[in-house]
Amino acid sequence: MTSLLRRFAITLAFVGFVSMLPATVGAFCPVLQGQWGSPGSGNGQFSGPYGVATSGTGHVYVADRLNNRIQRFTGAGAYVSQWGVPGSGDGQFSVPAGVAVDANGD
């Protein structure tokens, strides 16, 4: 239940921020069109989702903090892939809190 409340609070904060922007800026901001996922560690599940980014191709990237990974989804919410394992070496994460995507989708 705590995860659900946290996601709800984050959603409200985002929607509140977008609604405070001037109409000309708000027209370029993403709009919440749905939600997906459930608590857990399987594909498409989250434990502490935190950072979110979208690519020009419509993919959604989520920093899944407590599962120490980044997950990629289609814009409709279908699971595509993931990377990262717990640790401090190459390809490893320790509670990732953010994710960004450049214009090339990298």
Side-chain angles (χ1 to χ4, degrees), residues 17-39:
F17 173 73
V18 171
S19 66
M20 292 185 303
L21 295 173
T24 56
V25 175
F28 298 104
C29 292
V31 175
L32 178 65
Q33 295 185 11
Q35 61 184 15
W36 61 85
S38 61

Side-chain angles (χ1 to χ4, degrees), residues 33-88:
Q33 295 185 11
Q35 61 184 15
W36 61 85
S38 61
S41 60
N43 294 346
Q45 295 183 320
F46 305 105
S47 183
Y50 201 77
V52 177
T54 57
S55 71
T57 60
H59 284 105
V60 178
Y61 297 82
V62 180
D64 189 6
R65 289 186 62 165
L66 302 179
N67 284 322
N68 296 298
R69 65 185 177 183
I70 305 295
Q71 294 193 74
R72 181 172 63 159
F73 298 87
T74 66
Y79 171 83
V80 176
S81 62
Q82 66 182 318
W83 61 95
V85 295
S88 59

